Amino acid sequence: MRVFVTGIGAISSLGQGVGALQTALSEDACGIRMHELKAPAPSDQTVSSLCALVDDIDLSGISSDKISLRHLDRNTELALAATDEAILSARLTPEDLRTCNTVLGTSTGSTKSVEDNYHRLFAQGRNALSPTTVPRSMSTSALSALSLVYGIQGLCFVVSSACASGAHAIGEGFQMVRSGRTDIALVGGTEAAVTFGVWKAWHALHAMSSDGCRPFCATRNGFVLGEGAAMFVLESEQSVERRGADVFGELVGYGHSSDAFHITQPSQTGVESAIRGAFEDAHVDPGEGALISAHGTGTKLNDVTEANALIATVGDGLDTSDVIATKSLHGHLLGAGGALELAIGIIALNRGKAPPIHGYREPDEDIRLPLVLGQPKPIESRYLLSNSFAFGGLNVSLLMRSK
Amino acid sequence: MNNIPTSDDVIQIIADEIAVEPNQLHPGAKLTELGVDSLTVMEVLFVIEERFAMQLEIGEHAQFTTFGDLMEDLHRQLGLTAPSPSLV
């Protein structure tokens, strides 16, 4: 069964909404800037770092009598903002929502509540935690909020696979619709994990850059943390026809693999398997080429591994391919990265223009890819390959075809 | 607010937590109509405990149906003396 994307919603440091995203892409705007991250009060610990944070989250168009929207954690607010837009763009009715399935990718759940409440317990020696600690901190807090606000009574669950969470969520939703298990699936990812504690954890790995995210560049020196959410409505062909829905593109392939190699380092074999799997699943020859939205974190190891894997799998197809790496614009959204990057890829494919890798300075002789550099480039292929490769060797490649 | 709670302090805390005006909190107001469920009651108690460094019992809160029921129990636990005019 064919599966189409009929709704998209997104929010990130590039702005709220697909419109803001389109504007940011056309202006080569970058959402990465210096921010101060503070430890929970009354600690006076802070750290200043490059990261990509959302400026404002506007939920004024959303209301609910099932859950208070006032004290939501940030990951939930981001998920709601993206979902509301996706639902509106797909023109889903309450009955569509009641019966749809929802799969949400997130790697951390609600980080701020966890940090604040355990700071209260361990650092401040308080005897009790807020009774909402559990419902706020649980990894499903955002997902359950979506179900409550939109009356979703279908199959709903969270997928957590580190940096591949959002991509896995989209892939699993794709499988549900393709298999006929559901007509409509609401899928995507959310992440709001740019907190003092999480930053410190990533800093300890020496994987973050202090001067910018420059994927595939010879001077690249790490990634930059970001936050945001992107959600999609996936629909069967029959449902699209029945509802007269507009289509943004067709999801055709879901490639996935696990490296069984190392807890942080990627395996080229594993990455190749996911990329190859996406083309095979779609019955599409890699020789057709694609707009390739790389995982492209800006770390030495990921980028060269991914480059070699793309050469090994796409081969001659690279002659008609364009490689983009949008983490250079919006940072690494961890669990939501795969979702936001797919949204950007779809926008680019429909515009026919690939956005350049922001901040790129000089070529790396070990990376021989058709990178989009300097200015937007006309896209030759009608396919989009979107890669997400996670710590612990969890890999996803999604293949889309333009409408 | 100082560290000895008054009735008005408690009403303000509850009003802030459930995002209503204090004058909407009259004794006969049904908790369900105010959007107050057992989790909200627990959260309100927690905020009061934190604000005034006191320990409160959850007790029979699940049985309360009106705002008056809730305030009567809080009056007893907190030792509040003069009721606020809004409860008269």
Side-chain angles (χ1 to χ4, degrees):
Chain A
M1 195 175 305
R2 296 177 73 181
V3 180
F4 296 93
V5 175
T6 57
I8 307 178
I11 180 168
S12 69
S13 58
L14 298 176
Q16 178 164 356
V18 167
L21 205 48
Q22 287 168 327
T23 303
L25 290 173
S26 63
E27 293 174 358
D28 192 29
C30 182
I32 296 172
R33 51 185 63 90
M34 289 298 288
H35 290 277
E36 195 181 25
L37 305 175
K38 299 179 184 177
S43 168
D44 57 5
Q45 290 180 287
T46 68
V47 65
S48 288
S49 175
L50 281 179
C51 44
L53 302 183
V54 176
D55 285 329
D56 294 301
I57 308 171
D58 180 5
L59 301 180
S60 58
I62 304 171
S63 62
S64 174
D65 57 1
K66 294 272 177 60
I67 184 172
S68 168
L69 302 182
R70 285 178 67 237
H71 297 305
L72 294 174
D73 277 47
R74 206 166 165 82
N75 64 319
T76 301
E77 291 185 324
L78 294 171
L80 277 170
T83 300
D84 205 61
E85 186 186 12
I87 287 170
L88 284 172
S89 80
R91 298 192 307 271
L92 293 183
T93 66
E95 182 58 19
D96 293 329
L97 288 165
R98 191 185 68 78
T99 54
C100 83
N101 289 357
T102 305
V103 189
L104 181 69
T106 185
S107 76
T108 58
S110 172
T111 333
K112 185 105 182 21
S113 275
V114 171
E115 286 192 12
D116 287 352
N117 279 290
Y118 285 119
H119 178 81
R120 200 178 251 153
L121 201 59
F122 298 132
Q124 295 183 281
R126 297 290 180 96
N127 197 38
L129 293 179
S130 162
T132 58
T133 303
V134 170
R136 279 176 181 282
S137 305
M138 60 191 188
S139 59
T140 50
S141 53
L143 172 76
S144 290
L146 297 184
S147 171
L148 284 164
V149 170
Y150 298 108
I152 300 169
Q153 295 182 311
L155 172 61
C156 297
F157 58 92
V158 152
V159 164
S160 190
S161 51
C163 311
S165 302
H168 268 125
I170 294 164
E172 292 303 310
F174 169 52
Q175 299 279 55
M176 286 178 185
V177 179
R178 184 160 64 167
S179 67
R181 195 171 179 184
T182 186
D183 269 333
I184 298 174
L186 188 55
V187 298
T190 185
E191 201 82 76
V194 191
T195 61
F196 179 82
V198 170
W199 188 94
K200 283 287 187 180
W202 281 107
H203 182 67
L205 273 171
H206 300 283
M208 290 195 297
S209 172
S210 59
D211 64 357
C213 177
R214 297 182 297 283
F216 304 114
C217 172
T219 68
R220 67 189 187 277
N221 55 23
F223 73 90
V224 168
L225 280 170
E227 63 176 5
M231 296 294 290
F232 305 86
V233 176
L234 302 183
E235 241 177 298
S236 67
E237 188 175 16
Q238 290 87 314
S239 182
V240 169
E241 283 172 10
R242 175 178 59 81
R243 293 194 322 110
D246 295 325
V247 161
F248 291 90
E250 183 180 1
L251 200 45
V252 293
Y254 172 33
H256 45 80
S257 70
S258 304
D259 290 348
F261 174 66
H262 193 274
I263 198 65
T264 56
Q265 293 172 20
S267 152
Q268 185 177 326
T269 313
V271 167
E272 281 179 28
S273 182
I275 296 170
R276 194 173 290 118
F279 284 101
E280 286 172 354
D281 188 41
H283 304 289
V284 169
D285 181 355
E288 298 250 6
L291 170 68
I292 300 172
S293 176
H295 184 56
T297 55
T299 64
K300 287 287 182 200
L301 200 47
N302 171 82
D303 292 3
V304 68
T305 304
E306 184 172 12
N308 289 334
L310 283 167
I311 290 167
T313 51
V314 182
D316 290 341
L318 288 175
D319 294 339
T320 50
S321 294
D322 301 292
V323 178
I324 63 175
T326 63
K327 286 182 175 73
S328 63
L329 299 170
H330 53 68
H332 193 342
L333 268 63
L334 305 178
L340 181 67
E341 289 153 31
L342 186 73
I344 293 174
I346 293 172
I347 290 169
L349 199 63
N350 288 339
R351 283 172 78 220
K353 283 192 188 162
I357 298 172
H358 188 88
Y360 185 95
R361 294 175 190 166
E362 64 180 87
D364 182 329
E365 61 183 16
D366 292 330
I367 292 179
R368 299 174 306 280
L369 290 177
L371 303 173
V372 180
L373 301 172
Q375 57 216 359
K377 184 176 177 293
I379 297 169
E380 293 187 55
S381 175
R382 58 190 185 122
Y383 290 100
L384 163 68
L385 178 74
S386 188
N387 290 338
S388 297
F389 308 133
F391 264 14
L394 309 176
N395 309 308
V396 178
S397 291
L398 298 169
L399 194 69
M400 284 205 58
R401 181 162 47 220
S402 60
K403 56 181 179 181
Chain B
M1 295 182 193
N2 58 28
N3 253 14
I4 303 167
T6 65
S7 207
D8 282 346
D9 288 337
V10 171
I11 290 170
Q12 189 63 57
I13 286 172
I14 296 171
D16 288 344
E17 278 304 302
I18 65 176
V20 299
E21 291 300 320
N23 59 20
Q24 289 179 257
L25 299 176
H26 56 87
K30 288 215 166 56
L31 292 176
T32 48
E33 286 168 16
L34 289 169
V36 175
D37 58 17
S38 58
L39 187 60
T40 316
V41 170
M42 286 167 63
E43 185 69 2
V44 161
L45 294 182
F46 178 75
V47 173
I48 294 170
E49 285 180 334
E50 290 271 289
R51 196 74 58 87
F52 300 108
M54 304 178 91
Q55 196 97 25
L56 296 174
E57 288 170 12
I58 301 296
E60 303 296 319
H61 288 102
Q63 320 258 349
F64 298 157
T65 51
T66 67
F67 180 69
D69 293 338
L70 176 60
M71 280 307 290
E72 197 178 312
D73 189 72
L74 286 172
H75 266 250
R76 180 183 57 76
Q77 290 207 56
L78 292 167
L80 300 177
T81 49
S84 152
S86 61
L87 279 191
V88 173

